[in-house]
Amino acid sequence: QAAAIEKEYRRLGYQSGWRLITCPQRNAATAKLLLVTLNPAGRTAHGPAWSQEAGSAYRVESWNGLPPGAASLQRQVQQMFAFLGLRDDDVFSAHYVPFRSPSWAELDNKREAEAFSKSLWEWLQPKLSFDRIVCIGKDKPAKAIAALFGAVIDTSLRVGWGDITADRYKLPDGRPLIALPHLSRFGLFGRPQGESALRELFA
């Protein structure tokens, strides 16, 4: 599949690199949490393309010139793991769309990129173990991941940022999918204003 991603990357004319799995690949078979983000951010390639075998990218990598694990999104994800009582090895994390861009708005050929990513995740889905899914991004990638797993929306809760909400879906077997607003913009974990909502959301 790495070769297929590289081929599509070149076909669509991208130049900022790609990456898919942001943890050791082996976590897929034993994970308790499946964490899905939209696409890697930035203008230049960063981190291993296929998987980060040194550990969770949210702890072991240096982003934006900061010490390893010190970027705001990394800290939020670490706090989420702690909130859920999970070790890094309990999590399988990956991007829905593997192609890097400074922002989602700046990614060219979105329709083709999303169509390719849908087929990529259809291949990946049967290999994944999890008790719950968390998507960072309520619209994208949450709606695509919900559709992939046949999840239907269950409830929406305000999370301590005015009218901003998080959504909870249920898979056909009852496992939850939690769709959060982007944590680099709306820090939810370690923030007293949203703690009760998070406890209800993840209950």
Side-chain angles (χ1 to χ4, degrees):
Q1 290 297 319
I5 298 172
E6 181 68 24
K7 182 179 178 182
E8 188 71 355
Y9 170 81
R10 295 181 181 281
R11 187 183 78 82
L12 294 176
Y14 298 132
Q15 297 182 343
S16 299
W18 64 266
R19 75 181 307 188
L20 180 63
I21 303 168
T22 50
C23 68
Q25 182 177 342
R26 63 179 180 273
N27 291 14
T30 58
K32 297 176 181 176
L33 172 67
L34 169 61
L35 175 63
V36 188
T37 51
L38 181 50
N39 77 313
R43 297 184 182 278
T44 55
H46 177 80
W50 177 255
S51 64
Q52 175 51 277
E53 294 302 312
S56 172
Y58 297 100
R59 197 178 306 276
V60 303
E61 291 186 0
S62 172
W63 294 359
N64 305 322
L66 295 169
S72 59
L73 178 58
Q74 290 175 304
R75 292 199 311 269
Q76 278 289 298
V77 171
Q78 291 167 32
Q79 287 180 292
M80 178 173 66
F81 293 176
F83 178 83
L84 296 173
L86 299 174
R87 300 171 300 119
D88 292 359
D89 286 349
D90 296 326
V91 181
F92 181 81
S93 57
H95 297 291
Y96 181 67
V97 175
F99 310 119
R100 183 183 301 279
S101 61
S103 68
W104 181 248
E106 294 173 83
L107 184 72
D108 295 327
N109 301 313
K110 286 186 187 64
R111 184 174 296 180
E112 289 175 282
E114 289 184 84
F116 172 78
S117 298
K118 181 175 183 287
S119 67
L120 179 63
W121 276 82
E122 286 170 348
W123 168 82
L124 190 58
Q125 180 187 12
K127 301 168 175 56
L128 300 174
S129 163
F130 58 89
D131 297 331
R132 60 159 62 93
I133 303 171
V134 170
C135 293
I136 298 179
K138 282 182 48 180
D139 180 29
K140 299 176 185 293
K143 290 180 179 177
I145 292 293
L148 177 69
F149 286 94
V152 295
I153 197 157
D154 178 42
T155 190
S156 293
L157 292 170
R158 291 186 182 186
V159 286
W161 284 94
D163 291 334
I164 299 297
T165 59
D167 300 329
R168 184 172 66 217
Y169 295 74
K170 280 192 176 178
L171 275 64
D173 60 10
R175 286 180 293 177
L177 183 159
I178 310 297
L180 300 175
H182 206 288
L183 295 178
S184 59
R185 192 172 178 188
F186 301 101
L188 302 182
F189 295 91
R191 193 169 181 270
Q193 297 93 321
E195 187 170 331
S196 62
L198 287 173
R199 294 197 181 283
E200 184 175 348
L201 196 64
F202 284 95

